[in-house]
């Protein structure tokens, strides 16, 4: 909540949708929605792809936990790791890590679990490298620039 009374509210949706029309007649926004599901013609992600995404998830979660002094990364709705057979594994992984809003929006708009999981894998690889670099920089800064 902000000093001026405004609030940021985070919600968890149940179904994905596109906004077809926005109605601004009232002081609050209303809209006409069109719900959508994943496209049927796409091949599901391979077991190897699913396992890779879970391994990267574990690596990133451990690095973030270490960076935060042991604070756990998983949200209250644990189990800590998503199930490898979850049909929406990409969403489950992204919901358990501090990923930026633009990336979350990209995942929501994609209509293929295989493509979403591919993006999640790429994102987690980059995030893992970033976390390692930050930790190395902090270690150097803590040593007053000396690397011994």
């Amino acid at each position: 909540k902000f000093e001026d009374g405004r609030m940021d509210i985070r919600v968890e949706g149940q179904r994905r949708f596109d906004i077809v029309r926005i109605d601004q007649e009232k002081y609050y926004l209303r809209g006409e929605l069109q719900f959508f599901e994943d496209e049927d013609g796409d091949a599901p992600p391979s077991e190897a792809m699913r396992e890779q995404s879970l391994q990267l998830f574990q690596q990133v979660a451990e690095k973030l936990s270490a960076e935060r002094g042991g604070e756990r990364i998983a949200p209250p709705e644990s189990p800590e790791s998503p199930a490898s057979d979850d049909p929406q594994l990409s969403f489950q992984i992204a919901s358990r890590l501090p990923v930026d809003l633009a990336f979350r929006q990209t995942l929501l708009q994609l209509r293929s679990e295989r493509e979403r999981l591919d993006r999640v894998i790429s994102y987690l690889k980059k995030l893992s490298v970033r976390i390692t670099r930050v930790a190395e920089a902090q270690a150097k800064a803590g040593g007053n620039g000396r690397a011994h």
Side-chain angles (χ1 to χ4, degrees):
K1 187 170 183 176
F2 297 99
E3 289 179 14
D4 64 1
R6 293 178 299 135
M7 289 188 273
D8 283 340
I9 300 172
R10 183 174 172 182
V11 297
E12 183 177 322
Q14 300 298 312
R15 292 177 65 191
R16 294 179 294 154
F17 58 86
D18 284 326
I19 298 173
V20 178
R21 186 180 60 83
I22 295 176
D23 179 355
Q24 297 178 327
E25 289 180 17
K26 301 205 180 240
Y27 64 93
Y28 54 89
L29 292 176
R30 298 184 307 174
E32 184 179 321
L33 309 177
Q34 181 175 22
F35 293 101
F36 67 88
E37 302 294 333
D38 283 348
E39 295 171 354
D40 293 331
D42 191 40
S46 67
E47 189 60 34
M49 183 181 232
R50 290 176 169 282
E51 290 303 319
Q52 182 183 16
S53 66
L54 287 171
Q55 288 173 353
L56 286 165
F57 166 78
Q58 288 296 338
Q59 289 172 8
V60 168
E62 287 170 13
K63 287 180 179 185
L64 287 170
S65 180
E67 180 185 276
R68 296 176 178 187
E71 178 187 332
R72 306 300 285 175
I73 298 304
E77 75 267 339
S78 286
E80 198 163 307
S81 285
S84 66
D85 62 346
D86 190 310
Q88 296 187 332
L89 181 59
S90 58
F91 292 137
Q92 295 301 321
I93 289 173
S95 73
R96 287 169 167 79
L97 294 172
V99 299
D100 62 74
L101 291 176
F103 182 70
R104 286 183 195 271
Q105 185 62 39
T106 297
L107 290 182
L108 284 171
Q109 291 175 312
L110 294 173
R111 296 183 185 206
S112 161
E113 176 62 8
R114 181 183 200 84
E115 189 175 349
R116 284 192 302 270
L117 215 46
D118 187 51
R119 299 272 183 105
V120 165
I121 288 169
S122 176
Y123 187 90
L124 292 177
K125 285 178 180 178
K126 292 173 188 170
L127 183 59
S128 182
V129 169
R130 217 174 311 141
I131 294 167
T132 299
R133 286 184 180 154
V134 167
E136 289 170 351
Q138 288 174 337
K140 281 184 182 180
N144 201 19
R146 293 186 289 271
H148 55 346

